[in-house]
Amino acid sequence: MQNTKIVRQNTEIEIQDSTLLVGLPGVGHVGKLVVDHLIEQFEAEKLLEIYSTSFPPQVLVDENSTVRLVSNAFYTFQVNGKDILLLAGDQQSTNSEGHYELCDLYLDIAEEYGVSRIYSLGGFPTGQLDHVDEVMGAVNKEELTESLKEHGVTFKEKEPNGGIVGASGLILGLSKFRDIDAACLMGYTSGYLVDPKSAQSLLAVLSSILDIEVDISELEERAKEMEKIMANLVEAKQQQQQQTLPETPPSDEDLGYIG
């Protein structure tokens, strides 16, 4: 990939038979919130950074007015004797070709670190402001469903109806050619705002699958803040609906269609 650059941070860590968690920006930033939270809590070590012309043409500015290029990165931590690999970052590709090329690269790196199972994490948009404490799944091998159901993952025929767009879906499809077991776990989210409440639901299921304990207090605080925002949105919507109601009751002629 001539338009992609890999900058390795640590070449001494030995990782074998690992599990990869993919949490890139997407609907409700659900997957990103989960992976970023794990990176911070377990003080995951950065392995490498990926720069690509398929990312948006921009730099990000920090609190010191210093810029850096948009990038994605692989991290790792070990818990209960298990090696966990994480893919996190700023952006997904802005074009279809870039999506395929980058996902192939992500899988090359996954194979390099001996990944035997992949969980891509994302959000399932409901279009509703009310929270649904549920995690939907999709897999690249049918036999994976039963074990995931034991951890609370739900599967619905032909859902998501429109398929899974972006890295979360492509990694599932492409990993099948490499004989790597993969599942996509999606927290229910409105799809309108960053959703730490959905991230909590997803993290609870993921913690059960990986058999690890995760402190979710920070996510809980963010969820409470978001609940206040959501409550204000619901109230504003209700007020708007009331304002659009007719001021006078309908006449008998208007009700003639009721049988």
Side-chain angles (χ1 to χ4, degrees):
M1 299 175 65
Q2 295 181 351
N3 297 321
T4 298
K5 182 179 181 64
I6 299 176
V7 179
R8 294 185 181 270
Q9 308 277 321
N10 194 320
T11 58
E12 298 179 356
I13 297 179
E14 293 185 4
I15 301 172
Q16 294 181 341
D17 192 24
S18 59
T19 297
L20 171 61
L21 309 179
V22 179
L24 296 174
V27 179
H29 273 24
V30 179
K32 176 175 172 58
L33 285 172
V34 170
V35 167
D36 286 351
H37 184 76
L38 292 173
I39 289 171
E40 182 176 351
Q41 179 168 348
F42 290 97
E43 299 180 347
E45 187 160 359
K46 186 182 289 187
L47 295 171
L48 57 86
E49 294 176 335
I50 299 169
Y51 300 88
S52 174
T53 54
S54 294
F55 295 148
Q58 69 181 99
V59 293
L60 302 179
V61 185
D62 67 14
E63 62 276 8
N64 299 315
S65 299
T66 303
V67 304
R68 68 172 178 84
L69 285 169
V70 169
S71 65
N72 291 340
F74 276 81
Y75 297 79
T76 187
F77 68 87
Q78 191 175 79
V79 60
N80 298 335
K82 303 172 185 176
D83 285 321
I84 307 295
L85 208 63
L86 308 104
L87 171 57
D90 302 316
Q91 293 284 352
Q92 294 200 39
S93 171
T94 58
N95 59 77
S96 296
E97 183 179 1
H99 272 299
Y100 278 91
E101 289 184 351
L102 284 168
C103 286
D104 260 330
L105 175 62
Y106 300 151
L107 290 171
D108 287 342
I109 295 168
E111 287 187 325
E112 176 186 340
Y113 288 110
V115 168
S116 57
R117 176 72 62 91
I118 298 173
Y119 295 106
S120 64
L121 311 175
F124 177 74
T126 65
Q128 303 297 320
L129 294 177
D130 294 332
H131 174 66
V132 178
D133 187 16
E134 188 173 348
V135 173
M136 180 186 293
V139 295
N140 68 350
K141 298 178 182 178
E142 187 178 350
E143 56 267 27
L144 299 176
T145 58
E146 290 306 315
S147 62
L148 290 176
K149 286 178 181 178
E150 295 176 2
H151 297 283
V153 181
T154 62
F155 294 88
K156 299 183 180 181
E157 187 176 348
K158 296 183 179 180
E159 288 285 357
N161 186 45
I164 306 172
V165 179
S168 292
L170 277 182
I171 285 177
L172 239 66
L174 294 173
S175 61
K176 191 170 184 178
F177 295 116
R178 302 178 186 236
D179 199 29
I180 300 176
D181 293 348
C184 181
L185 307 178
M186 296 161 279
Y188 279 60
T189 179
S190 67
Y192 301 133
L193 299 167
V194 175
D195 195 342
K197 189 82 171 177
S198 179
Q200 277 184 262
S201 299
L202 181 52
L203 188 54
V205 169
L206 186 64
S207 299
S208 175
I209 293 171
L210 299 177
D211 191 24
I212 61 175
E213 292 186 8
V214 182
D215 181 1
I216 62 171
S217 55
E218 183 178 337
L219 276 177
E220 286 178 339
E221 288 302 314
R222 294 186 66 176
K224 289 177 182 178
E225 294 174 4
M226 192 56 64
E227 282 178 352
K228 293 178 182 178
I229 295 174
M230 296 291 275
N232 291 335
L233 287 174
V234 171
E235 183 179 355
K237 184 177 180 181
Q238 290 174 343
Q239 291 177 350
Q240 185 180 23
Q241 289 174 339
Q242 290 174 356
Q243 291 172 356
T244 57
L245 290 175
E247 296 182 359
T248 57
S251 66
D252 291 341
E253 292 180 358
D254 292 329
L255 298 177
Y257 67 92
I258 297 177

